[in-house]
Amino acid sequence: MTEQTQRTRVAIIGGGPAGSLLSHLLHRQGVENVVLERRSRAYVLSRIRAGVLEHGSVETLVAAGLGERVQSEGYVHDGVFLAFGGRRVRVDFADLTSRSVTIYGQTEVQHDLYDALDERAGRIVFEAEDVALHGVDGDRPAVTYTADGQDHRLEAEWIVGCDGYHGPSRGVIPGDVLRTYERVYPFGWLGILSETPPVSEELIYANHERGFALCSMRNEHLSRYYVQCSLEDAPDDWSDDRFWDELTTRLPDEVGDQLVTGPSIEKSIAPLRSFVAEPMRYGRLLLAGDAAHIVPPTGAKGLNLAISDVVYLARALGEFAANGSTTGLDSYSRTALDRVWKAVRFSWWMTTLMHRFPDQDGFDRRLQQAELSLLESSREARASLATNYVGLPI
Ligand code: RFL
Ligand code: PHB
C-alpha cells in the first residue's frame, strides 16, 4: 500500500479540548495545522467530564470568538459551599476575588470547538489509527497514521501531543529526560447525571465521615452528583436507590431534605490521581493538557489546565510562525509547569481536606476539622481557596 505524504506547520495529536482549542487558536493566527483524533466525533462528544470553567478559561473562549453559547447558556457562580459537621460555609468568590466561575459542561465546550472547526473547514481526521511520532529530536518531525484503510505520513515543523493520559506522545520522550511525579488516591468518585433540578444553586463540596460528596449541575433540569467510593466498586454495585441514600446521608439535613431524586441517565466511576510529566517540551514535541498532567477532580482544574497550556502554546507557535523566534517555545515548559504545579497543589489540598482516607487516624481527622473550622472563621483562609478556585492568571 502506498503512503500518502502531506505537510503542515503543526501536527496536533488528539482532538479533545486541548487539541481542538489549539487548532482554533492557531488558525486565528493563520498557522496551518492538522488534528489527528483516534475516536469518532460522536464518541468524543458523548464523554461526560468536567463542568466548571475558571474566569480565565471563559475569557479565553470569548477572546477566541467562541463565547456565544458559554455566555448565554453558561451559569455564572459567585461562590461554592463547603459542608461538614452538619453545617455549610459559603466561599464568596465575588466578595473575595471579584471573580466568578461558569458552569458549562466539557461536552458543550467540545461542541463549540467542533462547530468552529466545521465553519472554517479546519482539518481534523477522526478515527486516525496507529498514530506514531517520528524524528521529534530533529527539525523535520513527522506523524504516521492509518485512516480509511490508507497509510498516511504528516510532516510538520512541530508536533503537539494533546492525546490525554493514555496517548502515545509522552512515551517518545527518552527515559533519561522524562521525569514523572505521581500520587494515586485510595478511592474513586462515582458520578451520576440525572434529569432532576439541582439541590442547590451553587456547588456543595461535603466532607462526611462516610466519605466525600459533591452536588453539581449542568442546568436547572440536569444535576450532576458524586460520592466517594471504593476502587473495588463497579457502577452496577450502585443502584440508583443506594446512590441517593448515600448522597442524602452525606449532606447536611437541610440540604438532604430538599434533594429531588430520579433515574440516573449516566453512571460511572473515575479513579483519582495527581500526575505531572516534566519537561513539557522535548525537541520538536510539545505536550499539553492531560498528556502532561492529571489532577483529581476535586479542584475542578483538569479542563482549565488544558486551556491555559494551549493559550501559552498558541502564543509561542504563533511567534515562531511569524518570525522564526523560539523564545516562547523555549520557555513553554517552565511557564506551563509553574501554573500546573499550583493547580496540582490546590487539587491535592482540596482532595486531602474533603475525603475520608482508609488509613486516616484520629490525628488526621482532627486536622481536617481544624482546617474546615479555619475556613469558616477566617476570611484570609477562604480568600486563598477562592483565589485558586476561580483560577490563577494565565
Ligand atoms: P482528553 O480530553 O483526554 O483528550 C485527549 C484526546 O486524545 C485522543 N487520543 C488520541 N488521538 C490520536 N491517537 C491516539 N493514539 C490517541 N490517544 C488518545 C483521545 O481520544 C482524546 O479525544 O485530554 P485534553 O484535551 O488534555 O483535555 C483534558 C480534559 O479532558 C481533562 O483534564 C478533564 O476532563 C479531566 N476530568 C475532569 N476535569 C474537571 O475539571 N472536572 C471533572 O469533573 C472531570 N471529570 C475528567 C473527569 C477526566 C476523566 N478521564 C480522562 C478519564 C472524568 C473523567 C472520566
Ligand atoms: C462537575 O460538575 O462535573 C464537577 C464540578 C466540580 C468538580 C468536579 C466535577 O470539582
Side-chain angles (χ1 to χ4, degrees):
M1 187 166 41
T2 54
E3 193 177 65
Q4 298 271 316
T5 301
Q6 293 174 300
R7 278 200 65 77
T8 189
R9 295 203 84 154
V10 182
I12 301 171
I13 306 177
S20 38
L21 178 61
L22 178 62
S23 172
H24 182 80
L25 296 177
L26 290 177
H27 172 81
R28 283 173 70 87
Q29 302 177 84
V31 182
E32 195 202 327
N33 64 86
V34 176
V35 181
L36 304 175
E37 166 57 50
R38 183 165 68 108
R39 301 288 191 172
S40 69
R41 180 183 181 125
Y43 183 95
V44 175
L45 287 172
S46 69
R47 294 190 294 220
I48 312 280
R49 289 185 175 175
V52 179
L53 291 178
E54 291 174 356
H55 174 82
S57 297
V58 175
E59 272 185 349
T60 298
L61 296 175
V62 171
L66 297 163
E68 198 182 314
R69 275 205 323 135
V70 68
Q71 285 182 304
S72 62
E73 295 173 29
Y75 293 79
V76 174
H77 281 202
D78 289 332
V80 290
F81 289 101
L82 301 180
F84 57 96
R87 57 194 195 278
R88 266 192 294 177
V89 171
R90 181 159 185 267
V91 181
D92 186 331
F93 300 152
D95 174 41
L96 295 162
T97 68
S98 308
R99 299 212 184 293
S100 52
V101 295
T102 299
I103 303 300
Y104 191 66
Q106 180 165 332
T107 322
E108 305 308 319
V109 175
Q110 193 69 66
H111 252 292
D112 296 344
L113 286 165
Y114 283 165
D115 285 352
L117 202 112
D118 288 345
E119 247 167 63
R120 63 182 158 86
R123 283 165 71 196
I124 180 161
V125 180
F126 287 104
E127 300 182 72
E129 287 170 44
D130 303 323
V131 166
L133 297 84
H134 308 275
V136 297
D137 47 2
D139 55 13
R140 296 201 54 189
V143 186
T144 53
Y145 63 98
T146 309
D148 298 324
Q150 170 84 47
D151 288 340
H152 297 264
R153 180 180 177 84
L154 179 63
E155 296 179 349
E157 292 169 351
W158 296 89
I159 297 177
V160 187
C162 298
D163 44 353
Y165 182 66
H166 299 285
S169 299
R170 191 176 62 248
V172 305
I173 303 180
D176 58 349
V177 176
L178 189 73
R179 294 179 304 278
T180 60
Y181 302 86
E182 187 168 34
R183 180 119 324 161
V184 176
Y185 300 88
F187 40 73
W189 277 19
L190 170 70
I192 72 152
L193 203 56
S194 81
E195 286 167 327
T196 51
V199 68
S200 163
E201 275 182 27
E202 293 181 339
L203 270 62
I204 304 174
Y205 290 84
N207 172 312
H208 188 271
E209 60 190 32
R210 291 180 61 84
F212 170 77
L214 170 61
C215 304
S216 182
M217 69 221 48
R218 292 294 176 268
N219 59 49
E220 66 255 54
H221 313 289
L222 194 57
S223 298
R224 180 83 170 143
Y225 295 110
Y226 298 92
V227 294
Q228 175 185 346
C229 67
S230 160
L231 281 172
E232 264 105 66
D233 288 357
D236 284 349
D237 297 333
W238 286 82
S239 66
D240 287 355
D241 284 347
R242 179 176 174 207
F243 181 88
W244 293 119
D245 283 349
E246 192 61 40
L247 179 64
T248 310
T249 307
R250 294 184 190 187
L251 297 173
D253 290 344
E254 83 218 24
V255 181
D257 291 348
Q258 301 294 316
L259 190 69
V260 180
T261 64
S264 63
I265 56 171
E266 198 263 353
K267 193 183 281 167
S268 55
I269 293 181
L272 271 67
R273 167 194 312 269
S274 302
F275 172 86
V276 183
E278 298 182 0
M280 287 172 64
R281 172 181 167 195
Y282 174 71
R284 291 278 176 144
L285 169 67
L286 301 142
L287 299 178
D290 280 15
H293 41 74
I294 298 282
V295 287
T298 327
K301 292 285 165 239
L303 172 61
N304 293 294
L305 281 182
I307 292 175
S308 57
D309 284 356
V310 156
V311 168
Y312 298 137
L313 262 187
R315 241 179 246 156
L317 287 166
E319 200 180 278
F320 178 83
N323 58 25
S325 161
T326 61
T327 311
L329 291 162
D330 293 340
S331 57
Y332 166 66
S333 181
R334 198 167 5 98
T335 308
L337 284 168
D338 182 67
R339 193 171 191 280
V340 164
W341 272 109
K342 287 172 184 153
V344 169
R345 185 210 68 83
F346 177 65
S347 308
W348 161 84
W349 173 78
M350 279 279 280
T351 304
T352 309
L353 177 67
M354 299 308 291
H355 289 75
R356 180 46 64 100
F357 286 70
D359 58 355
Q360 201 167 35
D361 62 13
F363 185 85
D364 299 313
R365 184 83 194 117
R366 282 284 186 271
L367 289 183
Q368 281 188 338
Q369 288 164 350
E371 187 131 23
L372 287 163
S373 166
L374 184 69
L375 283 161
E376 188 170 25
S377 61
S378 158
R379 180 180 167 84
E380 287 72 22
R382 287 195 301 283
S384 171
L385 191 158
T387 303
N388 285 280
Y389 197 96
V390 300
L392 299 174
I394 297 180

